Amino acid sequence: MRKPNIAILGATGVVGREITKIVDELGIEFNEIKFLSSAKSAGKQIEFQGKTYTVEEATPESFDGVNIVLASAGGSTSQKFAPEIVKRGGVLIDNSSAFRMDKDVPLVIAYVNDEDLRKHKGIIANPNCSTSQLMLVLKPLHEKAKIKRLIVSTYQAVSGAGLAAINELTADTKANLAKENFENVCFKKPISFNVIPQIDVFTENGYTKEEMKVVNETKKILHLPQDLPISCTAARVPVYNGHSEAVDIEFEEEISPDEVREILKNSFGIKVIDNPENFEYPTTRDASGVDPVFVGRIRKNLAFKNGISLWCVADNLRIGAALNTVRICQKVIEMDLF
């Protein structure tokens, strides 16, 4: 198996640091690795596998000789460098929303739709964080009983909005407890002791861009019909890390809660915690810092025929961003697609 030269673009950001950690954890084999950032962060030092690396400012020439780029530097940066990466023969695995709905760019969750990787033309998109954890749950259930209708409500941690949002939750909470005034910047409303029913901007149909990402990305990843009804409500909650989702699914075929539990217990990347009589169900604290998507509260949906309701939780920085990016890298290497 060939070993690639790897670059991590956006290496000093929250997700970039997590990508670096997971490259080591998963034992990704490479010839060389480099860490790239904006001019603002260039020159910083990164300790990785016993060596000290100096972060370089990303330029077109930075990608000379690089086979795979793991990028989490924002959409504008990805759009700027994507042509340069592809022109030089590299594969961009992009964590931004820049290319997700491009018909020529595969949108991939590792172990869900790996075969779509073979269609890449130099760019592979990593889905939105809330979509990512959901796909590992839905794929095996869809294979069993075929999804007919889907309603998702997400309760998303502030780390999904970056380091400034994490700091704002801390500062706002301290000010609130001290009964001091606080001016929120990252969010449209105060985040401490609050739930904000808006993530990203509103679109013409009244849904936010975040909600429409779940709708559109789910259809693309699972190859669902465009007219299959999916609805999403996304809310920001005062949690540092870990996204939670309440999921209501109507299936074409009958499927019982016990069948769902058994299928998910035997599915990749899923851990079922579902014993409500003893108050055993997943919370964000269970998910923080670990890889599985946790699922619980599996029960018959009372509003849908052939309906199931469940609760799923995952570390949004790992499964929702960094972990899947590195897993895609792993698959690209294993499938010899660079």
Side-chain angles (χ1 to χ4, degrees):
M1 190 163 58
R2 292 189 299 145
K3 294 181 182 180
N5 296 327
I6 292 177
I8 298 177
L9 178 60
T12 60
V14 174
V15 176
R17 293 198 298 268
E18 199 71 20
I19 286 173
T20 301
K21 184 166 71 173
I22 295 171
V23 166
D24 184 39
E25 289 177 4
L26 294 188
I28 302 297
E29 295 188 1
F30 53 85
N31 286 320
E32 297 177 1
I33 190 167
K34 64 169 66 175
F35 301 92
L36 305 173
S37 72
S38 64
K40 182 180 177 182
S41 297
K44 291 184 177 179
Q45 304 288 303
I46 286 181
E47 299 292 330
F48 180 71
Q49 295 185 345
K51 297 181 181 178
T52 301
Y53 293 82
T54 300
V55 178
E56 305 172 28
E57 180 184 355
T59 67
E61 292 71 32
S62 301
F63 304 103
D64 288 336
V66 174
N67 303 115
I68 301 175
V69 180
L70 309 179
S72 188
S76 60
T77 300
S78 293
Q79 288 172 327
K80 174 183 176 181
F81 287 118
E84 300 293 341
I85 294 166
V86 175
K87 183 171 70 175
R88 289 166 167 78
V91 178
L92 170 63
I93 302 173
D94 184 44
N95 197 47
S96 80
S97 60
F99 304 104
R100 287 174 184 158
M101 298 314 298
D102 188 318
K103 63 181 178 61
D104 293 323
V105 175
L107 182 67
V108 175
I109 296 289
Y111 300 92
V112 171
N113 60 327
D114 296 343
E115 283 301 307
D116 287 353
L117 290 170
R118 299 189 188 279
K119 304 173 187 175
H120 87 73
K121 299 176 181 178
I123 304 173
I124 300 164
N126 185 36
N128 186 44
C129 52
S130 49
T131 310
S132 295
Q133 68 188 71
L134 184 61
M135 294 305 97
L136 286 167
V137 177
L138 293 184
K139 175 66 183 300
L141 300 180
H142 179 59
E143 288 181 339
K144 172 66 177 178
K146 295 288 181 293
I147 295 170
K148 181 179 180 180
R149 188 189 315 269
L150 177 66
I151 298 175
V152 184
S153 299
T154 73
Y155 308 88
Q156 298 182 217
V158 296
S159 56
L163 184 59
I166 294 172
N167 293 337
E168 183 162 311
L169 173 56
T170 301
D172 189 13
T173 301
K174 288 179 178 178
N176 201 314
L177 290 171
K179 295 182 169 42
E180 297 172 352
N181 291 329
F182 181 83
E183 184 177 350
N184 43 285
V185 176
C186 295
F187 304 109
K188 299 298 183 184
K189 303 285 185 179
I191 186 60
S192 69
F193 306 99
N194 206 7
V195 175
I196 305 172
Q198 177 189 358
I199 300 177
D200 213 326
V201 298
F202 288 98
T203 64
E204 289 184 1
N205 65 1
Y207 285 76
T208 63
K209 285 179 68 176
E210 179 78 7
E211 292 160 349
M212 293 310 300
K213 287 175 186 176
V214 172
V215 173
N216 296 325
E217 292 176 16
T218 297
K219 291 178 180 179
K220 183 173 181 178
I221 294 166
L222 295 181
H223 303 287
L224 299 174
Q226 284 303 304
D227 60 353
L228 189 143
I230 300 177
S231 183
C232 177
T233 300
R236 188 73 72 186
V237 294
V239 169
Y240 283 111
N241 196 42
H243 288 354
S244 303
E245 299 178 346
V247 186
D248 299 300
I249 319 158
E250 184 177 13
F251 293 96
E252 295 282 358
E253 302 168 23
E254 187 175 355
I255 187 169
S256 71
D258 283 341
E259 286 179 291
V260 170
R261 287 186 196 95
E262 193 62 27
I263 290 167
L264 293 179
K265 282 178 181 177
N266 293 292
S267 297
F268 174 83
I270 302 290
K271 182 173 182 179
V272 175
I273 303 176
D274 194 25
N275 185 11
E277 292 83 1
N278 292 323
F279 312 108
E280 294 175 2
Y281 39 72
T283 69
T284 54
R285 290 195 179 191
D286 299 309
S288 191
V290 294
D291 291 348
V293 175
F294 294 83
V295 182
R297 299 292 318 281
I298 300 167
R299 61 206 187 275
K300 181 175 174 56
N301 182 284
L302 300 180
F304 291 158
K305 181 183 179 182
N306 300 334
I308 291 289
S309 295
L310 57 83
W311 176 257
C312 76
V313 180
D315 183 321
N316 53 290
L317 295 180
R318 291 183 68 89
I319 186 62
L323 180 61
N324 191 57
T325 300
V326 181
R327 280 177 173 169
I328 291 172
C329 175
Q330 193 173 43
K331 289 290 183 181
V332 167
I333 296 170
E334 290 174 358
M335 297 166 75
D336 199 27
L337 298 176
F338 67 93

